Amino acid sequence: MAAVAPLLLIALLCGLLGESRSPRCDGACAEVDSDTEAVAGRGFKLGCISCKRRSEVEGSATVEWYFRPDGESDFVHIYSYNENGPTIEHNFFEDRIDWNGSKRSNDIQDASIYVLNVTFNDSGTYRCFFYRTLTYENYEYFDTVDKVVHLTVVAKATRGTASIVSEVMMYVSIIGLQVWLLIEMIYCYRKIAAAGEEALREAANAEYLAIASESKDNCAGVQVGE
């Protein structure tokens, strides 16, 4: 249930300024930070999204991933993706990384990868680089964007604060909606009841006036007869 709330609110979050895990939207692309906690023995998606600022401009990009294990000082090149496809650059990740980003396009905006059979040795800092080329009418513009993911591998999944807050907010929203609907129903009932009472009063007044008029006519007829 906790995962439902962010999906339902993504359209609203795209227009807000925030801190962690808040998306920045450009057209159909939304920049969302990667999860940072993986469970040993399971698969894990390392998210890396860089939205192109000018969606109407033709572009292409290549991607490189680097990894620095906890306690180490240097990054090692672990993965590349370009027009020729993916390449695992380090033996430690051999047969353990799958491309999980943009497909069927050289205009890469999602460079996420999926790490299989995560181990505790996978804890550390990951850097994702976009090398992007934007093609204008008379020139090309080259840009480099990098994203950083600090990954912690745990033995058992823990429930994060953001997940708890999301679920609480979802239930608060549901309760608030139910209260609002109840208030609306009471308001409509009272309005209908008041309208019914008014209609009854008008009908009674009309009937009274009709009886009074009929009585007056009868009295006038009696006087003429005399």
Side-chain angles (χ1 to χ4, degrees), residues 207-221:
E207 184 176 358
Y208 172 78
L209 292 174
I211 294 173
S213 176
E214 183 178 355
S215 299
K216 184 177 180 181
D217 291 341
N218 290 336
C219 289

Side-chain angles (χ1 to χ4, degrees), residues 37-112:
E37 184 179 276
V39 178
R42 300 183 185 178
F44 181 79
K45 178 181 177 180
L46 282 167
C48 180
I49 300 174
S50 173
C51 298
K52 189 171 63 176
R53 295 176 183 273
R54 298 288 299 274
S55 59
E56 74 278 8
V57 177
E58 187 174 332
S60 62
T62 61
V63 173
E64 292 183 358
W65 277 89
Y66 293 81
F67 171 56
R68 184 182 65 194
D70 284 342
E72 300 291 334
S73 58
D74 298 326
F75 281 88
V76 294
H77 191 194
I78 63 171
Y79 191 81
S80 299
Y81 190 92
N82 53 39
E83 66 274 7
N84 297 320
T87 302
I88 297 177
E89 305 284 359
H90 199 281
N91 292 335
F92 180 69
F93 290 94
E94 190 69 35
D95 297 326
R96 289 207 302 127
I97 297 180
D98 284 336
W99 178 251
N100 200 237
S102 302
K103 296 179 175 62
R104 297 183 295 276
S105 174
N106 290 330
D107 189 5
I108 299 171
Q109 299 184 68
D110 183 354
S112 301

Side-chain angles (χ1 to χ4, degrees), residues 93-212:
F93 290 94
E94 190 69 35
D95 297 326
R96 289 207 302 127
I97 297 180
D98 284 336
W99 178 251
N100 200 237
S102 302
K103 296 179 175 62
R104 297 183 295 276
S105 174
N106 290 330
D107 189 5
I108 299 171
Q109 299 184 68
D110 183 354
S112 301
I113 58 177
Y114 194 80
V115 181
L116 303 170
N117 190 26
V118 172
T119 71
F120 290 104
N121 292 329
D122 294 331
S123 294
T125 303
Y126 293 80
R127 295 189 72 180
C128 164
F129 287 86
F130 288 84
Y131 301 101
R132 178 169 287 137
T133 302
L134 299 177
T135 305
Y136 293 87
E137 185 174 353
N138 298 317
Y139 68 98
E140 290 184 334
Y141 176 76
F142 301 96
D143 188 26
T144 301
V145 178
D146 71 294
K147 305 279 185 175
V148 177
V149 180
H150 301 286
L151 180 65
T152 301
V153 179
V154 297
K156 184 179 180 181
T158 59
R159 194 176 183 190
T161 303
S163 173
I164 297 173
V165 171
S166 296
E167 186 168 357
V168 170
M169 290 301 296
M170 182 185 64
Y171 284 117
V172 169
S173 299
I174 292 173
I175 293 172
L177 179 60
Q178 291 176 339
V179 171
W180 177 78
L181 289 174
L182 180 60
I183 293 173
E184 283 292 308
M185 290 175 62
I186 293 173
Y187 171 76
C188 291
Y189 172 78
R190 289 183 175 178
K191 190 172 182 180
I192 292 172
E197 291 176 0
E198 182 65 24
L200 289 175
R201 283 196 296 269
E202 290 180 357
N205 289 336
E207 184 176 358
Y208 172 78
L209 292 174
I211 294 173

Side-chain angles (χ1 to χ4, degrees), residues 6-19 21-33 49-56 109 147:
L7 296 176
L8 294 177
L9 297 176
I10 188 69
L12 295 177
L13 291 175
C14 286
L16 299 177
L17 293 176
E19 297 294 333
R21 304 301 303 278
S22 62
R24 181 179 72 81
C25 298
D26 293 284
C29 178
E31 291 189 8
V32 182
D33 292 341
I49 300 174
S50 173
C51 298
K52 189 171 63 176
R53 295 176 183 273
R54 298 288 299 274
S55 59
E56 74 278 8
Q109 299 184 68
K147 305 279 185 175

